[in-house]
Amino acid sequence: MTAALERRDLLLLGERIRAASAATRPLMIEIIDRACRRLPSLRQSAGTARVMSLIDVEAWADAALALMELELPLWQVRRIAYDDGEWHCALSRQRELPDWLDSAVEGRHADLALSLMSAFAEVQVLTAEAARPSVPSVRPARDPLYEPIGCDNVG
């Protein structure tokens, strides 16, 4: 899968999360299938079993937090707040910084679990973009007449 296709899929998943009215098992499984890179390699781990058992008992917010713990070990929940009928969730890599210095990723939704998953999807989009190099990784062909020299400017 190309990085552009993966980014587009993650953006569509984010839209699907924001459009959902409540967390459901099929939606959580779709999030795991489309946005999780680490979980498939941890199939037999205790963490994976914990996430799946939380999904089975419909503990959506706990499942979202457990999933973020497995998939985003460098990210932490910075803030969860409820305001004007919506949950706001901010994830950060540097939670100790003051708010005005931090570049937190935020998600919001009327459902707490979907607010968490919305922020999760946004982080996955960011990490997919960061994984791509900013410049091509093609090495230039050396000129056959090029020969490096050293020169000391000793006066």
Side-chain angles (χ1 to χ4, degrees), residues 6-18 27 30-32 34-37 64 67-68 71-72 75 89 91 105-108 113-129:
E6 182 178 333
R7 182 180 185 281
R8 186 178 58 112
D9 287 345
L10 290 170
L11 289 171
L12 290 172
L13 180 62
E15 289 175 17
R16 184 149 152 59
I17 292 168
R18 287 185 290 281
L27 180 59
E30 181 181 353
I31 291 168
I32 290 170
R34 288 191 177 181
C36 294
R37 296 178 185 101
L67 185 61
M68 287 191 288
E71 281 292 316
L72 306 172
W75 292 79
C89 172
L91 301 178
V105 174
E106 298 201 24
R108 64 178 202 210
L114 293 180
S115 172
L116 292 164
M117 287 291 86
S118 180
F120 172 81
E122 291 296 319
V123 169
Q124 293 294 57
V125 169
L126 273 177
T127 57
E129 289 174 353

Side-chain angles (χ1 to χ4, degrees), residues 28-112:
M28 292 298 281
I29 298 301
E30 181 181 353
I31 291 168
I32 290 170
D33 288 344
R34 288 191 177 181
C36 294
R37 296 178 185 101
R38 301 176 126 213
L39 205 63
S41 64
L42 302 172
R43 285 280 182 215
Q44 304 302 322
S45 76
T48 302
R50 180 171 172 251
V51 169
M52 296 313 291
S53 68
L54 290 168
I55 290 172
D56 289 341
V57 298
E58 298 181 359
W60 305 124
D62 290 335
L65 290 168
L67 185 61
M68 287 191 288
E69 184 180 332
L70 285 174
E71 281 292 316
L72 306 172
L74 300 177
W75 292 79
Q76 297 174 341
V77 175
R78 179 173 182 82
R79 180 179 57 260
I80 296 176
Y82 186 76
D83 184 37
D84 201 25
E86 278 191 326
W87 287 97
H88 298 262
C89 172
L91 301 178
S92 173
R93 289 187 70 173
Q94 299 170 357
R95 190 171 63 174
E96 292 76 24
L97 288 177
D99 276 347
W100 59 276
L101 279 176
D102 191 15
S103 57
V105 174
E106 298 201 24
R108 64 178 202 210
H109 198 280
D111 182 86
L112 174 59

